[in-house]
Amino acid sequence: DVSKIAKPTISDADVKASYDENQDKFAVPASADVEQSLIDDEAKAKAVADAVKAGKTMSDAVKSVTGNVKAYQGKNNFSKDGLPSEIATPVFAAKAGDVIGPIKSALGYHVIQLVALKDAHAASFDSVKDKIRKELEDEKSGNAVFDVTGDIEDRLANGETYESMTKEYPLTLTTLKALQKDTKDKGAWSDKEFSTIMIKAYGMKDSTPSEMSDLSANKLYSVRVDKITPAKAKPFAAVKADILKKWIADNQSQDNLLSAQKKVDDLTSG
């Protein structure tokens, strides 16, 4: 159970060091704060643009021209690569307060007022420190699991048994006796987990433990086959009654078929 492997401790110094060493990962591209309307009629879009240039707010201009504010898209922030080039180019060449458009796109006619341009910058440490801590915890937790499972596999390869390691590692040892391919009792495992274990067990040829493999989100497993019993026919005495019953049923069915065919022949001949 990997959830029981000791979690690594990530200090504030670790987080700050990772931030300082990976500044390129926290780069925020240049962006534009804009206010926008999207109108399906070019003449109305031009009227909105003119009204904004004359001093009206974008929402008031849209309402006065269209009769409602449905076409008003509100305020948004976009990076340059988050806009089509025909919109991005004039927006990022404008000054705060400029009105851009109407610009036609597949969605309609855009009327845009630039609120502010923001230069590219590095995200502040406070804004990303929780994310960095989580990444470091995940990385070190993964390494801890890898180290533990590696130790277990090495010791198994050197001849140690599961039983000898259950006190040192979070291992649960389960024994399945007389396991067959059609075994229905899967114990505490889910159908998927049990199927995985069965496939592994039936692919093994000797008592060498298998490698540690993923079973579910928090579980790894290894299988050891202690004994393989070859398939063999059941004793005749144990199946005699079933064989006789089947033989009688098969012969009765054959007799019924012949009898029915004779009656059909008799009817056909009159």
Side-chain angles (χ1 to χ4, degrees):
D1 183 349
V2 300
S3 68
K4 295 180 180 178
I5 294 174
K7 299 293 183 185
T9 300
I10 306 299
S11 68
D12 292 342
D14 293 332
V15 177
K16 186 63 168 65
S18 179
Y19 174 79
D20 292 338
E21 293 167 7
N22 297 280
Q23 284 288 303
D24 56 323
K25 285 179 59 177
F26 309 112
V28 178
S31 64
D33 288 338
V34 302
E35 199 168 2
Q36 179 179 201
S37 296
L38 183 59
I39 302 168
D40 57 8
D41 181 87
E42 184 177 12
K44 290 181 179 180
K46 188 175 185 309
V48 168
D50 291 340
V52 176
K53 290 175 183 177
K56 281 195 173 184
T57 65
M58 181 74 73
S59 60
D60 286 346
V62 169
K63 186 173 183 180
S64 66
V65 171
T66 67
N68 57 58
V69 293
K70 291 181 179 178
Y72 177 59
Q73 303 291 298
K75 295 179 180 179
N76 302 102
N77 176 269
F78 295 102
S79 61
K80 195 167 187 178
D81 59 4
L83 293 168
S85 59
E86 64 269 23
I87 296 176
T89 299
V91 165
F92 280 84
K95 302 186 298 295
D98 286 355
V99 178
I100 301 103
I103 300 173
K104 189 177 187 309
S105 78
L107 300 176
Y109 293 89
H110 300 258
V111 178
I112 299 168
Q113 185 169 35
L114 178 63
V115 177
L117 286 176
K118 296 180 178 178
D119 293 334
H121 61 282
S124 68
F125 174 68
D126 285 342
S127 70
V128 296
K129 63 182 181 181
D130 291 342
K131 179 182 177 183
I132 295 173
R133 186 181 299 278
K134 178 69 167 56
E135 289 176 349
L136 291 176
E137 285 176 348
D138 289 346
E139 179 183 352
K140 291 192 175 183
S141 292
N143 291 340
V145 171
F146 181 81
D147 290 343
V148 168
T149 55
D151 289 343
I152 292 172
E153 289 182 331
D154 288 345
R155 291 174 65 170
L156 289 172
N158 288 328
E160 291 193 54
T161 64
Y162 299 144
E163 291 82 355
S164 67
M165 291 187 281
T166 53
K167 291 182 179 179
E168 296 180 60
Y169 301 106
L171 299 176
T172 300
L173 185 59
T174 303
T175 301
L176 299 172
K177 294 185 177 180
L179 185 65
Q180 296 181 335
K181 285 186 177 180
D182 59 354
T183 296
K184 302 299 183 186
D185 182 10
K186 61 181 185 295
W189 289 302
S190 69
D191 289 342
K192 184 177 180 181
E193 290 171 346
F194 190 65
S195 175
T196 300
I197 293 167
M198 291 285 283
I199 290 170
K200 176 67 73 175
Y202 268 85
M204 298 176 69
K205 305 301 181 185
D206 56 39
S207 60
T208 302
S210 70
E211 73 285 355
M212 300 290 286
S213 303
D214 290 328
L215 186 62
S216 63
N218 286 321
K219 295 178 188 174
L220 294 166
Y221 79 102
S222 172
V223 173
R224 183 185 70 207
V225 175
D226 295 322
K227 181 182 178 183
I228 298 174
T229 303
K232 62 180 180 180
K234 294 179 180 178
F236 176 65
V239 296
K240 178 180 177 181
D242 289 337
I243 294 174
L244 180 59
K245 183 178 178 180
K246 184 176 185 304
W247 184 86
I248 291 172
D250 288 347
N251 280 273
Q252 185 64 59
S253 177
Q254 181 71 12
D255 288 346
N256 288 345
L257 182 62
L258 293 172
S259 177
Q261 185 61 54
K262 184 177 185 306
K263 287 178 170 57
V264 170
D265 292 343
D266 289 344
L267 288 168
T268 302
S269 65

